[in-house]
Amino acid sequence: MTENTTTPAARAELLRSLHVPGTPLIVSNVWDAITARIVAEAPGVRALATASHAVSFAHGVADGEGLTVEQALDAASTICTAVEIPVSVDFEKGYALDAAGVQANVERLIAAGASGLNIEDSSGPAKAPLFDLAHATARVGAARAAAQATGVPIAINARVDVLAGGGEWDDMVTRANSYLAAGADCIFVLGLADEQMVAQAIEQIDGPISVIGGAGYIPLTRLAELGVARVSFGPRTLGLALAHLQQAATQLTALGDYPEELGFVY
C-alpha cells in the first residue's frame, strides 16, 4: 500500500480524502471476511463498504435492522479486521432510538475498526416515514461527536431517503444540507433516477454526493463527468455473486462442463 493506513485515524482520514467530486470512490459492497479480502485485492481498490442488506441476508434475517446491534458490530469487526484498507460500514439507523444511543453505538463501531459509516434518515424499513429533520440532523451530529470523542475522524455518508420514500425534492435538499452542517462528509441520495436529477442534486447540495449504481443506471464514466463523489452497489454485488453460484450449480447438476472458475482456490 502507498498510503499510511497503520492507525484507525489514518484509515479514516484516507477514506474521507477519497470522496472527490468527478473522481468518484467506487466501492463494491462486501458482507463477510472473504468477500472483503477478495475485493480488497482487486487492482485499484482503495476502500471497502459493507451493505446492510447483504450482511443481514448472510445472517438469515431481513434488512432494516433485522440484525441486533451486537450482530452488526460483530460483522463489522470481522470485515474490518480481515483487511488493511479503510472500511465504511452500513450502520443503518444507528441501532438506537435517540442521538445519545447513536453516539454510543458509533463509538463501538469505531472500536470495531470502521473508518466510516452510512446512517439513514428513514425510521421504517420501507424508506418512509422519515425522522423529523431536527432529530435526523441530531443523529448525524451524534455520529460526528463519536468521531471526536474517539479521535478517529470517520467518514460519514449520510443517506437521504426522501425521494425513495415518495417525498419532495426541496425536503431532500434541505435535509442533505442540514446533515452536512451537522458533520456529514458526503450525502448518499437514493432516488436520483436520471442525469438531470443527479446534476441538479450536485448543484444544490453543499457537499459531495454519493449514489447507488447498477445495471440500467447512468454509466460510471458519466457519473464521474457529472461530478459524483462516490458510487456503491448495495446488495447488487451479493446478487451478482449468488447468480454466478446458482448458474454454476445448475450447470454441474446437469453434468455439464466444469465452470472455469471452479479451478480457482483462494
Side-chain angles (χ1 to χ4, degrees):
M1 294 179 296
T2 57
E3 298 91 357
N4 174 16
T5 57
T6 57
T7 69
R11 286 190 292 272
E13 287 286 11
L14 172 59
L15 182 59
R16 294 177 78 184
S17 75
L18 294 175
H19 293 77
V20 180
T23 310
L25 171 64
I26 307 298
V27 282
S28 298
N29 301 81
V30 300
W31 56 92
D32 60 11
I34 189 59
T35 54
R37 288 173 181 160
I38 288 291
V39 175
E41 291 174 4
V45 170
R46 301 175 69 191
L48 301 178
T50 71
S52 67
H53 182 120
V55 174
S56 297
F57 274 37
H59 282 74
V61 300
D63 192 23
E65 297 198 350
L67 296 169
T68 66
V69 66
E70 298 298 337
Q71 288 175 311
L73 291 168
D74 285 347
S77 177
T78 297
I79 292 166
C80 292
T81 56
V83 296
E84 297 180 4
I85 61 176
V87 178
S88 178
V89 175
D90 183 348
F91 209 47
E92 303 202 68
K93 307 168 202 312
Y95 299 87
L97 296 176
D98 59 13
V102 171
Q103 179 174 345
N105 286 342
V106 173
E107 289 183 18
R108 296 178 68 192
L109 182 67
I110 293 169
S115 300
L117 80 157
N118 283 10
I119 188 164
E120 56 205 53
D121 63 358
S122 56
S123 60
K127 301 179 179 61
L130 303 172
F131 293 115
D132 69 65
L133 176 58
H135 183 52
T137 301
R139 295 166 73 85
V140 174
R144 180 52 63 204
Q148 293 169 343
T150 59
V152 179
I154 53 170
I156 300 174
N157 191 36
R159 200 178 91 181
V160 184
D161 287 350
V162 174
L163 302 180
E168 300 297 323
W169 181 271
D170 288 347
D171 184 30
M172 180 276 289
V173 173
T174 297
R175 284 173 174 269
N177 287 329
S178 184
Y179 303 161
L180 287 165
D185 296 284
C186 188
I187 298 298
F188 182 17
V189 186
L190 294 189
L192 297 178
D194 55 41
E195 290 189 20
Q196 181 177 353
M197 293 177 74
V198 171
Q200 187 175 351
I202 289 171
E203 180 181 355
Q204 295 181 4
I205 293 173
D206 301 329
I209 300 298
S210 173
V211 301
I212 192 165
Y217 192 55
I218 305 164
L220 290 168
T221 52
R222 182 59 180 147
L223 288 172
E225 291 170 354
L226 289 168
V228 167
R230 172 170 168 168
V231 185
S232 57
F233 308 96
R236 294 168 181 170
T237 49
L238 173 67
L240 175 71
L242 296 183
H244 280 292
L245 178 59
Q246 187 177 69
Q247 181 182 16
T250 300
Q251 186 170 324
L252 293 167
T253 302
L255 303 181
D257 293 336
Y258 295 120
E260 183 177 342
E261 293 82 0
L262 205 62
F264 174 75
V265 179
Y266 182 77

